[in-house]
Amino acid sequence: MGRIDEESIKKVLEATDIVDVVSSYLTLKRAGSRWKACCPFHNEKTPSFSIDPVRQIFKCFGCGVGGTAITFVMKIENLSFVEAVRKLSEKAGIHLIEETYDPQLDKIRRAKSAILQANQKAADYFHRLLFTSPQAQEAREYLKSRGFDEQMAKNWKIGWAPIHSGEFLSWGRAEGMRDSVLIDAGLVSRGDRGDIYARFKDRLMFPIYNEYGECVAFSGRILKAKENTGKYVNTPETSVFKKGNVVFGLDKAKTHISRRGRVLLCEGQIDVIACHEAGVKYAVAPLGTAFTPEHAKLLSRYTENVVLCFDADKAGMNAANKAFKLLAPLKKTIYLAELSQGDDPDSFIKAHGAEAFSSLIDEAKPFFDVRLARAKIQGVISDAVQRTALAHELSELIAHVADAIARDAIISTVATYLRLSIDDLREAVRSDIKKIEKEGKAREFREATPTTSSAQSTVDLEAVPLLPITINRSIATLCELALQHLEAQNMIADRIEELLVPMAELPGGNILKKILEKSPSPDEPMAVQAFIETLPRNEQEALRKLELQPIPITDINETVQEACQGVARENISHHIKILKSELDSAELSDSDKMMRMVKIVELSRLLNSM
């Protein structure tokens, strides 16, 4: 799928009325100069979804989603950016121009497309066999024994793989699929003698979808226990499937996650299916692996609140701790559902019913409240040795909490509960934070150090999760000025040299740099919107949060001067904070500390004189 040039995006936006586009999906009501509706991306009763027909943008003041008609179509129809632009261009009769053809990239895209197509056809084939093949009777009976009916199998497109390789291979060739594509998709394997055979035989087949609803892999469950045969066989990693990046059920759950404002994180696929069938449709799980940083970043795009629903045994608690360590740095609020020992979501629902499970999840308490309550029940609090060990364990977990205010509140709660000195626990957490930072820097160095390889590595930029950006307030002012006033944009560009260092160091500086490089004309609203649409998604969202309301200006020269001075002050303050944090390092010599103290005094004086 190619890239569309900025001029074409601008033409599509100019030819598209966002009110017409949105009204084909939602019922709109006039509210002054704007239009309002209930947001389709989260659950609400009072309309907070607003459309500005002048600037041709929408904004939901409830969930924060906003953008142009392109953004709206992407989200409402679950399309990629290019697909949404094409859809609107066809409606408007605009001919799209795609950027320079790259044969290598095109080859990679076509190979991925062939794998996705093979997977989707295989999913349809396996699903059809489950209901029509006499040999699949055992698979149908197994599903029934687990309490899964025919409708559930259809909801999740569960299938059955034929017993003999030849049957699957004959089907694939009849469909016109090359053996090389089936191998690349992980559907068949090649033996030592060059012969090929089906990877999945006589197994219940669970198709695995990515967040966009594309079938990227399969998980096959054996029906009869066999010696030296694993219960599950999964698709090996391919160009479209990295199990550490895929969250099972997210394609079905993401709309419900947005509406409920939270996600339920389970341990396995069966648990997720059971949750959805019981009406808890915001449940997801990692895929055949422990929870990874990529999983955490992916979920962080959809919600601020995560409910962990793992087994109540030691292994489940370890899994919950690991998930917490990966989610807390992303400023997520984390809750823990309290299952009884030996229960998982599937068994709980079967024993107590869907309504009881839904209530259990609704009543989930904050992570540390549950940890402390469990410790009390287990007698840990009354034993000095166990209490000390728990304090060390919780201190390390608290150290991963990114929000300083939330972290301090947790320290106070835990210290009080464990009858510890707040200052002692705070010091322990501070020490753990330093360890984490040190380990993080070492890991970053290892990852940044190139390894010897005969093949040049390539990075799929579209697959890299993007972390949210909060633009520094002074940088934000310059962004707003540059996108609203042509004269201000030119003045800021003239001062580019003095802004280079702040732009490199302050959050959002790279966005300002791109604005000044591209110089979209503020006199053409669609040119500005087209420029924003070409930015990475996290940079788009950061700009949308500014709302870009017109800034009243009486003296442009004075306004730009004050904004640039604000950036300079922010950058000095940023350096002072860094120097102060370095003073806490035990590795610094006395002379190094003195040099930093002198520098702090100099910068403070400079800051006060501005």
Side-chain angles (χ1 to χ4, degrees):
M1 192 172 286
R3 289 175 55 87
I4 299 171
D5 76 315
E6 195 172 320
E7 185 61 30
S8 292
I9 296 170
K10 177 185 167 187
K11 287 179 180 177
V12 169
L13 289 173
E14 286 175 338
T16 302
D17 185 347
I18 191 170
V19 176
D20 288 342
V21 172
V22 176
S23 64
S24 65
Y25 299 91
L26 308 177
T27 301
L28 302 179
K29 291 185 179 180
R30 171 77 74 173
S33 61
R34 299 191 175 206
W35 294 86
K36 284 196 170 185
C38 284
C39 181
F41 308 121
H42 79 289
N43 196 23
E44 65 175 9
K45 294 180 180 178
T46 304
S48 59
F49 182 94
S50 178
I51 300 174
D52 183 340
V54 176
R55 291 188 292 158
Q56 287 288 299
I57 59 174
F58 76 92
K59 172 83 174 180
C60 176
F61 296 94
C63 64
V65 173
T68 63
I70 297 171
T71 316
F72 180 82
V73 171
M74 283 175 64
K75 292 190 70 65
I76 200 76
E77 293 203 15
N78 192 29
L79 300 177
S80 69
F81 175 77
V82 172
E83 289 168 339
V85 174
R86 284 177 175 162
K87 184 180 181 74
L88 291 174
S89 70
E90 288 172 7
K91 187 177 179 181
I94 301 293
H95 174 68
L96 294 180
I97 300 174
E98 299 199 10
E99 292 181 357
T100 308
Y101 172 76
D102 185 326
Q104 184 61 29
L105 282 177
D106 187 60
K107 182 179 178 181
I108 292 171
R109 291 190 186 105
R110 281 190 282 110
K112 287 184 176 181
S113 178
I115 291 173
L116 291 173
Q117 187 178 38
N119 282 336
Q120 188 56 59
K121 286 185 175 182
D124 294 337
Y125 170 67
F126 294 142
H127 186 60
R128 186 169 64 253
L129 285 184
L130 176 65
F131 293 106
T132 60
S133 174
Q135 294 176 309
Q137 182 61 33
E138 189 176 1
R140 293 190 286 270
E141 289 175 356
Y142 173 81
L143 280 176
K144 194 179 295 182
S145 72
R146 293 297 303 264
F148 296 142
D149 59 17
E150 182 176 321
Q151 187 57 50
M152 184 284 293
K154 289 179 178 177
N155 291 343
W156 295 86
K157 206 153 196 165
I158 294 173
W160 173 77
I163 298 171
H164 303 293
S165 283
E167 188 175 343
F168 178 77
L169 293 171
S170 296
W171 165 82
R173 288 160 183 163
E175 288 287 327
M177 285 186 280
R178 299 191 307 276
D179 290 349
S180 59
V181 171
L182 295 175
I183 291 171
D184 290 343
L187 289 165
V188 303
S189 301
R190 189 180 294 280
D192 295 336
R193 291 177 295 182
D195 55 320
I196 62 173
Y197 57 91
R199 182 176 183 82
F200 303 99
K201 288 175 284 189
D202 194 22
R203 287 179 180 265
L204 202 62
M205 299 297 289
F206 294 86
I208 308 300
Y209 297 91
N210 63 17
E211 61 185 300
Y212 307 112
E214 297 170 324
C215 185
V216 294
F218 293 90
S219 182
R221 193 195 192 285
I222 200 166
L223 296 170
K224 286 182 180 177
K226 296 178 183 177
E227 193 175 344
N228 300 323
T229 302
K231 184 184 290 186
Y232 282 93
V233 169
N234 296 321
T235 298
E237 295 202 342
T238 68
S239 61
V240 301
F241 174 60
K242 303 288 183 289
K243 65 181 179 180
N245 294 347
V246 177
V247 175
F248 181 78
L250 184 57
D251 59 309
K252 292 181 180 293
K254 60 185 181 181
T255 301
H256 301 282
I257 293 170
S258 297
R259 288 176 179 169
R260 290 301 303 268
R262 61 181 176 177
V263 62
L264 177 65
L265 182 61
C266 304
E267 288 191 79
Q269 297 158 228
I270 296 295
D271 289 331
V272 171
I273 293 173
C275 288
H276 279 251
E277 295 301 304
V280 182
K281 296 182 180 293
Y282 49 93
V284 299
L287 186 67
T289 182
F291 194 66
T292 67
E294 289 71 25
H295 291 144
K297 291 171 187 175
L298 183 56
L299 290 183
S300 73
R301 300 181 196 174
Y302 295 95
T303 184
E304 299 300 314
N305 303 296
V306 182
V307 182
L308 304 179
C309 190
F310 296 163
D311 294 353
D313 57 15
K314 185 176 180 180
M317 198 66 258
N318 289 338
N321 287 345
K322 180 173 182 180
F324 181 91
K325 289 177 182 179
L326 295 174
L327 290 162
L330 302 177
K331 296 188 176 181
K332 302 301 146 188
T333 303
I334 304 162
Y335 302 86
L336 203 53
E338 297 187 78
L339 289 171
S340 302
Q341 191 78 24
D343 258 335
D344 56 33
D346 182 36
S347 64
F348 185 95
I349 291 167
K350 284 182 171 61
H352 305 286
E355 190 173 336
F357 181 73
S358 183
S359 297
L360 178 86
I361 302 306
D362 287 341
E363 293 165 7
K365 294 181 176 62
F367 182 86
F368 286 98
D369 290 2
V370 177
R371 287 299 316 270
L372 292 169
R374 285 185 182 177
K376 184 177 181 180
I377 292 170
Q378 294 164 357
V380 172
I381 305 297
S382 57
D383 183 287
V385 174
Q386 291 186 70
R387 189 169 68 245
T388 301
L390 178 63
H392 284 298
E393 181 188 344
L394 297 187
S395 170
E396 185 187 354
L397 290 168
I398 296 169
H400 286 81
V401 177
D403 188 302
I405 296 174
R407 185 169 63 237
D408 213 49
I410 294 168
I411 289 171
S412 178
T413 299
V414 172
T416 302
Y417 208 94
L418 297 183
R419 302 193 294 276
L420 301 171
S421 159
I422 291 179
D423 288 339
D424 286 348
L425 183 57
R426 188 177 286 123
E427 183 57 37
V429 171
R430 187 179 292 119
S431 176
D432 283 328
I433 289 173
K434 289 179 181 178
K435 288 179 186 175
I436 292 167
E437 289 175 346
K438 191 172 183 179
E439 289 169 1
K441 287 177 182 176
R443 184 167 56 253
E444 286 174 7
F445 175 78
R446 288 195 301 271
E447 291 172 353
T449 303
T451 55
T452 304
S453 173
S454 58
Q456 187 174 356
S457 63
T458 59
V459 178
D460 184 355
L461 294 178
E462 293 180 0
V464 179
L466 299 173
L467 293 178
I469 297 172
T470 301
I471 304 178
N472 171 274
R473 59 184 179 179
S474 296
I475 292 287
T477 301
L478 288 177
C479 288
E480 289 177 317
L481 285 169
L483 291 175
Q484 293 172 22
H485 301 274
L486 183 58
E487 190 176 349
Q489 186 185 96
N490 292 332
M491 287 182 177
I492 296 168
D494 288 342
R495 303 178 68 143
I496 188 72
E497 288 187 8
E498 68 184 76
L499 293 170
L500 285 175
V501 173
M503 284 194 300
E505 297 180 346
L506 295 178
N510 191 50
I511 299 175
L512 176 61
K513 184 180 179 184
K514 289 179 180 179
I515 293 172
L516 298 178
E517 287 173 349
K518 284 283 188 177
S519 301
S521 174
D523 297 333
E524 298 179 59
M526 290 308 99
V528 172
Q529 295 302 328
F531 161 73
I532 294 174
E533 289 287 4
T534 63
L535 297 175
R537 187 59 51 189
N538 57 344
E539 293 182 358
Q540 286 187 42
E541 290 171 355
L543 280 178
R544 303 286 186 208
K545 286 178 183 176
L546 302 181
E547 295 187 55
L548 301 177
Q549 295 288 357
I551 299 176
I553 294 179
T554 52
D555 186 328
I556 288 184
N557 189 52
E558 183 180 344
T559 302
V560 171
Q561 173 72 14
E562 289 178 355
C564 289
Q565 281 186 343
V567 169
R569 285 194 295 269
E570 292 276 359
N571 202 45
I572 292 172
S573 298
H574 174 71
H575 278 284
I576 291 173
K577 287 179 183 176
I578 292 173
L579 290 168
K580 285 182 176 179
S581 68
E582 290 175 351
L583 284 177
D584 292 334
S585 173
E587 298 175 2
L588 285 180
S589 65
D590 290 342
S591 61
D592 286 336
K593 288 184 177 180
M594 182 59 68
M595 287 174 60
R596 281 162 175 75
M597 291 172 68
V598 169
K599 189 66 175 177
I600 289 171
V601 171
E602 290 175 352
L603 290 175
S604 298
R605 285 175 179 167
L606 177 60
L607 187 61
N608 292 332
S609 69
M610 295 178 72

